[in-house]
Amino acid sequence: MDLIQVENLEKTYTEGDVVTRVLRGITFSIEQGEFVSIMGPSGSGKSTLLHILGFLDKPTKGRYAFDEKSIDEYTEDELAHIRNKKMGFVFQVFNLLPRTTVLENVKLPLLYSGIKESLWDSMAEEAIKAVGLEHRTHYETGQLSGGERQRVAIARALVNNPNVIFADEPTGNLDSKSGGQVMDIIQSLHKKGHTIILITHETYTAQYAGRIIRLKDGQVESDEKVFAQNQRGFTK
């Protein structure tokens, strides 16, 4: 089943007399459970596309359907609910609260979830365990390495058990060893059934996916299945 469908998607920004076309008629679909990398140089439109797919922005033209329903048919409250319950986000900048523990950071999405507060600690602890940081649960995030902070961000994205995880350059601020560890975690989440959409400009990172969509100048340059590097025994 297609989780995501985009047809002739366009995004244009207008500032005064200046019109900038960022996305120029993009079409593709992503099935539930796929691991897809979206690649492209700076300015190709990949982050803009991710923001639209994650309901953080809206297209200027074209159609975007999530879970077989056009986003135009969702109310703003429904979009916010789906973003909180069915989507998880991991960004290059970790966006963690400073001077706050790992546990408190991971619990943040639960504040708006409608889930009983008595369950929050156990849910957060399960997500922290999934990224191998249970020994850091009560550490403040400022005491962690960059790789550990990104793993906290992944745990936070996981805590609501979302259908899809959007990862925007998740290894961009990390050294090669930490980046490899983060990608191994993302790969393991895919194996557990999560749909993964990875935005990256790094070939080695993109190759963790089973499919790579390449963007250039706001258009799809290529869309191909690949042999995921975990199957090759690839290590960075």
Side-chain angles (χ1 to χ4, degrees):
M1 182 186 83
D2 286 337
L3 179 67
I4 284 171
Q5 293 176 310
V6 297
E7 297 174 9
N8 297 316
L9 209 65
E10 296 185 20
K11 183 64 181 180
T12 301
Y13 294 100
T14 303
E15 188 171 342
D17 295 331
V18 179
V19 177
T20 304
R21 294 182 67 198
V22 181
L23 301 180
R24 301 167 177 257
I26 287 178
T27 298
F28 62 82
S29 59
I30 294 175
E31 293 182 3
Q32 176 71 43
E34 270 198 280
F35 187 163
V36 179
S37 289
I38 298 176
M39 288 193 74
S42 296
S44 61
K46 56 187 186 295
S47 289
T48 298
L49 176 60
L50 179 140
H51 288 162
I52 292 172
L53 296 181
F55 297 168
L56 302 172
D57 199 356
K58 291 188 176 181
T60 306
K61 291 183 181 178
R63 180 177 183 270
Y64 170 30
F66 181 86
D67 217 0
E68 301 188 315
K69 184 176 176 180
S70 173
I71 61 168
D72 296 330
E73 299 172 35
Y74 290 110
T75 67
E76 289 299 322
D77 285 346
E78 286 172 334
L79 290 175
H81 177 76
I82 291 170
R83 194 163 51 235
N84 182 259
K85 293 288 291 180
K86 295 189 175 183
M87 297 177 174
F89 297 89
V90 181
F91 297 102
Q92 180 175 350
V93 179
F94 314 126
N95 294 324
L96 301 177
L97 294 178
R99 297 182 298 280
T100 306
T101 67
V102 169
L103 183 67
E104 294 298 323
N105 271 278
V106 174
K107 285 197 298 186
L108 278 176
L110 300 175
L111 293 172
Y112 314 101
S113 67
I115 295 170
K116 290 181 180 179
E117 189 173 351
S118 59
L119 300 175
W120 292 0
D121 279 2
S122 61
M123 292 176 68
E125 287 165 358
E126 188 67 25
I128 293 166
K129 183 178 179 181
V131 300
L133 282 181
E134 54 266 49
H135 60 298
R136 296 281 194 253
T137 299
H138 299 291
Y139 280 58
E140 291 187 359
T141 54
Q143 297 175 282
L144 306 181
S145 68
E148 288 174 331
R149 289 198 295 273
Q150 189 61 291
R151 285 153 70 184
V152 174
I154 293 171
R156 184 182 55 195
L158 273 181
V159 72
N160 274 333
N161 194 31
N163 292 46
V164 56
I165 296 171
F166 295 101
D168 190 359
E169 301 280 7
T171 63
N173 285 332
L174 304 178
D175 59 43
S176 59
K177 181 180 178 181
S178 297
Q181 291 172 340
V182 164
M183 288 310 304
D184 286 343
I185 290 169
I186 291 174
Q187 183 69 265
S188 72
L189 298 176
H190 172 242
K191 290 179 180 178
K192 292 176 181 176
H194 294 278
T195 304
I196 308 290
I197 299 176
L198 171 72
I199 302 293
T200 185
H201 67 276
E202 299 170 325
T203 300
Y204 96 91
T205 304
Q207 289 175 341
Y208 274 79
R211 176 183 171 196
I212 298 177
I213 297 173
R214 287 182 170 85
L215 300 185
K216 184 177 181 181
D217 298 328
Q219 296 178 306
V220 175
E221 183 180 39
S222 63
D223 183 349
E224 59 186 356
K225 300 281 187 180
V226 295
F227 192 48
Q229 68 181 359
N230 70 310
Q231 296 173 305
R232 301 191 193 111
F234 176 94
T235 55
K236 190 186 178 200

